[in-house]
Amino acid sequence: MKNPSYCFFILFFVTACSTSSTGRNQVSLYSDAELNNMGVNSFKQMKKEIPISTDKATNEFVHCVADTITKNVPKSAHQGEWEIVVFDSVQINAFALPGGKIGVYTGILNVTEDQHQLAAIIGHEVGHVLEHHSNERLSANKLSNVGLMVAGIALGASDVDNKGLWVAGLGLGVQYGVIMPYSRAHESEADIVGQDLMARSGFDPKASIKLWKNMSKLNKDAPPEFMSTHPANQTRIKQLSEHLAISQPYYLTKKNLSQGSLPQCVKPKIIPKPKRKSTVKGETKLK
Ligand SMILES: [Zn+2]
């Protein structure tokens, strides 16, 4: 939200303006409770439709990394336990949802070389949640739908009835046949917030740079879904490199304080191939 007058216009009708941790103005028309509800319901649906990995070593690895990260997420972002599910799918994908939900596809584990790179993915995804990006996207949708009409804003600020918009707003992308990439500003913010989060959790933030370099090398002709919503480019790698000046000290402090008890999540040598196909539209197209 670049134009402050736009923000004031909306503020006149609803309490909707806030600032992200990196200082961006945000318009959020939905309450946290509404977003959490959407996240929880979407996750429930995904668990019904996408096979869940039962491989012990794979689950232990993902839980080890994700649990370490979520322990370092402020309680204000989510009260209570985070639920982490490993989906058995070739998709190179992962996501985090408001309401304390994290999904990691086994496909992405073939890209992440070690615990640090997986932490970079999870940190980035949780970064989208911490910065309320879903709320912003859904709010932008709503505003464009009502064409900024006063009556529209006043009447419909809180009802959510379009599932397509939900899942897109939550960043779930092609799983439900709707792709709406996060904006550059959201990606950039999630990168920074995610790098800080992984470093504070005891993972080496330098791994985020290697990860995105590896991502950008992936199958350029037919990029995986994650890459269609998460463009890897030189700008983002440059920004991540520059931000090491901030995040590396967090990691070193954690390292000194932990006296050798840094996370030691071991990636299994073999990530078993999915046994069953997902019933979700669009997923089978991806290799
Ligand atoms: Zn992202």
Side-chain angles (χ1 to χ4, degrees), residues 102-278:
I102 292 174
V104 174
Y105 289 66
T106 47
I108 210 165
L109 301 174
N110 294 316
V111 181
T112 54
E113 296 170 321
D114 56 23
Q115 59 166 356
H116 304 286
Q117 291 185 21
L118 180 58
I121 293 272
I122 295 174
H124 173 97
E125 293 304 324
V126 172
H128 282 305
V129 175
L130 286 175
E131 299 301 328
H132 309 285
H133 293 165
S134 301
N135 203 333
E136 273 188 273
R137 296 206 298 183
L138 286 161
S139 303
N141 273 345
K142 183 173 275 291
L143 290 176
S144 61
N145 282 351
V146 298
L148 275 181
M149 283 171 64
V150 174
I153 295 167
L155 287 171
S158 63
D159 65 303
V160 178
D161 49 12
N162 185 327
K163 193 184 169 219
L165 288 184
W166 272 39
V167 298
L170 292 169
L172 295 176
V174 81
Q175 290 93 334
Y176 289 98
V178 186
I179 293 184
M180 188 206 284
Y182 282 113
S183 70
R184 267 299 141 84
H186 287 165
E187 286 308 329
S188 172
E189 193 163 69
D191 277 348
I192 285 177
V193 172
Q195 199 186 54
D196 286 346
L197 180 58
M198 71 182 289
R200 285 184 208 275
S201 309
F203 296 103
D204 186 349
K206 285 204 291 294
S208 62
I209 296 153
K210 183 79 197 308
L211 168 79
W212 287 109
K213 281 185 178 165
N214 289 351
M215 281 279 184
S216 64
K217 279 187 225 146
L218 285 175
N219 203 343
K220 289 205 170 118
D221 298 330
E225 198 272 338
F226 192 79
M227 293 305 297
S228 67
T229 53
H230 289 82
N233 53 41
Q234 289 310 310
T235 316
R236 106 182 286 165
I237 290 168
K238 185 168 173 271
Q239 183 199 257
L240 281 165
S241 306
E242 286 167 358
H243 194 70
L244 281 179
I246 310 278
S247 62
Q248 195 73 16
Y250 294 146
Y251 174 55
L252 296 177
T253 306
K254 180 81 181 177
K255 213 171 171 180
N256 288 337
L257 291 176
S258 68
Q259 295 173 338
S261 69
L262 285 175
Q264 291 183 347
C265 313
V266 182
K267 181 181 165 179
K269 285 207 172 62
I270 295 166
I271 309 286
K273 291 224 160 62
K275 291 183 197 78
R276 287 178 294 137
K277 275 193 175 164
S278 158

